[in-house]
Coordinates of all heavy atoms in Angstrom, one line a residue:
K241 N 6.6 -6.8 17.4 CA 6.8 -5.4 17.9 C 7.4 -4.6 16.8 O 8.2 -5.1 15.9 CB 7.6 -5.4 19.1 CG 7.0 -6.1 20.3 CD 5.8 -5.4 20.9 CE 5.3 -6.0 22.2 NZ 4.8 -7.3 22.1
T242 N 7.2 -3.3 16.8 CA 7.8 -2.4 15.8 C 8.6 -1.4 16.6 O 8.4 -1.1 17.8 CB 6.7 -1.7 15.0 OG1 5.8 -0.9 15.9 CG2 5.9 -2.7 14.2
Y243 N 9.6 -0.8 15.8 CA 10.5 0.1 16.5 C 10.8 1.3 15.6 O 10.7 1.3 14.4 CB 11.8 -0.6 16.8 CG 11.6 -1.8 17.8 CD1 11.3 -3.0 17.3 CD2 11.7 -1.6 19.1 CE1 11.0 -4.1 18.2 CE2 11.5 -2.6 20.0 CZ 11.1 -3.9 19.5 OH 10.9 -4.9 20.4
F244 N 11.3 2.4 16.2 CA 11.7 3.6 15.6 C 13.1 3.9 15.9 O 13.5 3.7 17.0 CB 10.8 4.8 16.0 CG 10.9 6.0 15.2 CD1 10.4 6.1 13.9 CD2 11.7 7.1 15.7 CE1 10.5 7.3 13.2 CE2 11.8 8.3 14.9 CZ 11.2 8.4 13.7
P245 N 13.9 4.3 14.9 CA 15.4 4.4 15.2 C 15.8 5.2 16.4 O 16.8 4.9 17.0 CB 15.9 5.1 13.9 CG 14.9 4.8 12.8 CD 13.6 4.7 13.5
T246 N 15.1 6.3 16.8 CA 15.5 7.1 17.9 C 14.8 6.8 19.2 O 15.0 7.5 20.2 CB 15.3 8.6 17.6 OG1 13.9 8.8 17.3 CG2 16.1 9.0 16.4
I247 N 14.0 5.7 19.2 CA 13.2 5.3 20.4 C 13.6 3.9 20.8 O 13.5 3.0 20.0 CB 11.7 5.5 20.2 CG1 11.3 6.9 19.9 CG2 10.9 5.0 21.4 CD1 9.9 7.1 19.5
E248 N 14.0 3.7 22.0 CA 14.5 2.4 22.5 C 13.4 1.4 22.6 O 13.6 0.2 22.1 CB 15.3 2.5 23.8 CG 16.6 3.2 23.7 CD 17.4 3.2 25.0 OE1 17.0 2.4 25.9 OE2 18.4 3.9 25.1
K249 N 12.3 1.7 23.2 CA 11.3 0.7 23.5 C 10.4 0.5 22.3 O 10.4 1.3 21.4 CB 10.5 1.1 24.7 CG 9.5 2.2 24.5 CD 8.6 2.4 25.8 CE 7.5 3.4 25.5 NZ 6.6 3.4 26.6
A250 N 9.7 -0.6 22.3 CA 8.7 -0.9 21.2 C 7.6 0.1 21.2 O 7.2 0.7 22.2 CB 8.1 -2.3 21.5
L251 N 7.1 0.3 20.0 CA 6.1 1.3 19.7 C 4.7 0.6 20.1 O 4.6 -0.6 20.1 CB 6.1 1.7 18.3 CG 7.3 2.4 17.8 CD1 7.2 2.7 16.3 CD2 7.6 3.7 18.5
P252 N 3.7 1.4 20.3 CA 2.3 0.8 20.4 C 1.9 0.1 19.1 O 2.6 0.3 18.1 CB 1.5 2.1 20.7 CG 2.4 3.1 21.2 CD 3.7 2.9 20.5
V253 N 0.8 -0.6 19.2 CA 0.3 -1.3 18.0 C 0.0 -0.3 16.9 O -0.7 0.7 17.2 CB -0.9 -2.2 18.3 CG1 -1.4 -2.8 17.1 CG2 -0.5 -3.3 19.3
E254 N 0.5 -0.6 15.7 CA 0.2 0.3 14.6 C -1.1 -0.3 13.9 O -1.1 -1.4 13.4 CB 1.4 0.3 13.6 CG 1.1 1.0 12.3 CD 2.1 0.7 11.2 OE1 2.7 -0.4 11.2 OE2 2.2 1.5 10.3
Y255 N -2.1 0.5 13.7 CA -3.3 0.1 13.0 C -3.4 0.9 11.7 O -3.5 2.2 11.7 CB -4.5 0.4 13.9 CG -4.6 -0.5 15.1 CD1 -4.6 0.0 16.4 CD2 -4.8 -1.9 14.9 CE1 -4.7 -0.8 17.5 CE2 -4.9 -2.7 16.0 CZ -4.8 -2.2 17.3 OH -4.9 -3.0 18.4
A256 N -3.5 0.2 10.6 CA -3.7 0.8 9.3 C -5.2 0.7 9.1 O -5.7 -0.3 8.6 CB -3.0 0.2 8.2
N257 N -6.0 1.7 9.5 CA -7.5 1.6 9.5 C -8.0 1.9 8.1 O -9.0 2.7 7.9 CB -8.0 2.6 10.5 CG -7.6 2.2 11.9 OD1 -7.7 1.0 12.3 ND2 -7.1 3.1 12.7
V258 N -7.3 1.4 7.1 CA -7.7 1.5 5.7 C -7.7 0.0 5.2 O -6.8 -0.4 4.5 CB -6.8 2.4 4.9 CG1 -7.1 3.8 5.1 CG2 -5.3 2.1 5.2
L259 N -8.7 -0.7 5.7 CA -8.6 -2.2 5.6 C -8.5 -2.7 4.2 O -7.7 -3.6 3.9 CB -9.9 -2.8 6.2 CG -10.2 -2.3 7.6 CD1 -11.4 -3.1 8.2 CD2 -9.1 -2.3 8.6
G260 N -9.2 -2.2 3.2 CA -9.2 -2.6 1.9 C -7.8 -2.3 1.2 O -7.3 -3.1 0.4
A261 N -7.2 -1.2 1.6 CA -6.0 -0.8 0.9 C -4.7 -1.3 1.6 O -3.7 -1.6 1.0 CB -5.9 0.7 0.8
G262 N -4.8 -1.6 3.0 CA -3.6 -1.9 3.7 C -3.7 -2.3 5.1 O -2.7 -2.2 5.8
G263 N -4.9 -2.8 5.6 CA -5.1 -2.9 7.0 C -5.0 -4.3 7.6 O -5.2 -4.5 8.8
I264 N -4.7 -5.3 6.8 CA -4.7 -6.7 7.3 C -3.4 -7.1 8.0 O -2.3 -6.7 7.6 CB -5.1 -7.7 6.2 CG1 -6.5 -7.4 5.7 CG2 -4.9 -9.1 6.6 CD1 -6.9 -8.3 4.5
F265 N -3.6 -7.9 9.1 CA -2.5 -8.6 9.7 C -2.5 -10.1 9.3 O -3.6 -10.7 9.1 CB -2.6 -8.5 11.3 CG -2.6 -7.2 11.8 CD1 -3.8 -6.6 12.3 CD2 -1.4 -6.4 11.9 CE1 -3.8 -5.3 12.9 CE2 -1.4 -5.1 12.5 CZ -2.6 -4.6 13.0
S266 N -1.3 -10.7 9.2 CA -1.3 -12.1 8.9 C 0.1 -12.7 9.2 O 0.9 -12.0 9.8 CB -1.6 -12.4 7.4 OG -1.9 -13.7 7.2
T267 N 0.3 -13.9 8.9 CA 1.6 -14.6 9.0 C 2.0 -15.0 7.6 O 1.2 -15.1 6.7 CB 1.5 -15.8 9.9 OG1 0.7 -16.8 9.3 CG2 0.9 -15.5 11.3
A268 N 3.3 -15.3 7.5 CA 3.8 -15.8 6.2 C 3.2 -17.1 5.7 O 2.8 -17.2 4.5 CB 5.3 -15.9 6.2
E269 N 3.0 -18.0 6.6 CA 2.3 -19.3 6.2 C 0.9 -19.1 5.8 O 0.5 -19.6 4.8 CB 2.4 -20.3 7.4 CG 3.8 -20.8 7.6 CD 3.9 -22.0 8.6 OE1 2.8 -22.5 8.9 OE2 5.0 -22.4 9.0
E270 N 0.2 -18.2 6.5 CA -1.2 -18.0 6.1 C -1.3 -17.2 4.9 O -2.3 -17.4 4.1 CB -2.0 -17.3 7.3 CG -2.2 -18.3 8.5 CD -3.3 -17.8 9.4 OE1 -3.9 -16.8 9.2 OE2 -3.5 -18.6 10.4
L271 N -0.3 -16.3 4.6 CA -0.4 -15.5 3.4 C -0.1 -16.4 2.2 O -0.8 -16.3 1.1 CB 0.7 -14.4 3.4 CG 0.6 -13.3 2.4 CD1 -0.8 -12.7 2.3 CD2 1.7 -12.2 2.7

Side-chain angles (χ1 to χ4, degrees):
K241 298 292 191 292
T242 61
Y243 297 89
F244 190 76
T246 59
I247 297 174
E248 288 188 14
K249 72 172 190 175
L251 300 174
V253 175
E254 175 195 25
Y255 291 117
N257 299 309
V258 280
L259 309 187
I264 292 177
F265 299 107
S266 192
T267 67
E269 289 191 8
E270 291 200 357
L271 195 48

